[in-house]
Amino acid sequence: MKNLFNQAAAGLRVLLVMTVLLGVAYPLGVWAVSRIPGLQANAEGSIVMRDGQAVGSELIGIDPVAADPAADPWFHTRPSATGDPSTSGGSNKSGFNEDLVAEVGERQAAIAAREGVAPAAVPADAVTASASGVDPSISVAYAELQVPRVARNTGVPPDRVAELVREHTTGVLPGVNVLQLNLAVRHAAGR
């Protein structure tokens, strides 16, 4: 009986110590590290602020919805595999999955119609979801495809919109952050 009591007491001490270490000290340590200058923006979600308002995140792509789809002034992100940009996740469907092939075909036809081009001119990243489903960037080819429509619907000259695409192209595998680009176009349009 004494041995059982000693083991139970030792178990409770370990539980108490681990609760304090892992339930209190560790979370406070992680929080303290996130307050170090230079890390705070990443810890807070890399929020982009304009005029004191949060307008999005540099790291999470949310496809903008136009108030009037016939006069859509926005550059668009890649599609989300989840259909809900607030959640992250890809699809396990293979390239031979009939449902996926049909989805890609529908997206290709819709984007071709929206941009006024042949379906074959639509870049792959415009119709295929990223692994996370919330990729903030698109290929330069997809951004360039959208330039005429954005220029027409914002009143910004096409050459200026194309220049903004070039200015916002970054990375080893060149990509364009859609939120930053849309903010630049909005500024150029005086909105």
Side-chain angles (χ1 to χ4, degrees):
M1 187 70 152
K2 184 177 180 183
N3 193 20
L4 181 64
F5 178 74
N6 288 340
Q7 287 179 349
L12 286 173
R13 283 192 300 272
V14 168
L15 176 65
L16 181 62
V17 168
M18 291 304 203
T19 299
V20 170
L21 281 175
L22 300 175
V24 178
Y26 179 74
L28 283 175
V30 169
W31 177 82
V33 167
S34 75
R35 301 295 119 198
I36 294 173
L39 296 179
Q40 188 168 2
N42 291 336
E44 297 299 326
S46 300
I47 302 298
V48 175
M49 304 291 284
R50 289 289 187 265
D51 301 324
Q53 296 277 7
V55 294
S57 168
E58 290 180 19
L59 304 175
I60 300 173
I62 306 249
D63 197 27
V65 177
D68 177 9
D72 185 355
W74 307 117
F75 283 90
H76 290 273
T77 60
R78 294 178 72 177
S80 171
T82 63
D84 178 4
S86 67
T87 61
S88 178
S91 166
N92 287 334
K93 296 176 182 174
S94 79
F96 298 106
N97 181 285
E98 292 176 13
D99 294 337
L100 180 61
V101 171
E103 284 178 39
V104 168
E106 290 170 10
R107 290 174 187 157
Q108 188 176 34
I111 291 170
R114 180 182 76 204
E115 304 304 334
V117 298
V122 176
D125 70 313
V127 296
T128 56
S130 67
S132 68
V134 289
D135 192 346
S137 296
I138 58 174
S139 69
V140 176
Y142 187 28
E144 289 172 346
L145 178 75
Q146 299 180 69
V147 165
R149 174 185 47 80
V150 171
R152 183 175 59 254
N153 291 322
T154 60
V156 178
D159 291 345
R160 178 65 182 135
V161 176
E163 181 181 329
L164 289 171
V165 168
R166 285 189 298 278
E167 289 174 7
H168 288 85
T169 299
T170 60
V172 176
L173 294 173
V176 182
N177 184 293
V178 174
L179 174 65
Q180 296 291 353
L181 181 56
N182 278 333
L183 290 172
V185 170
R186 185 176 185 176
H187 183 264
R191 294 181 182 182

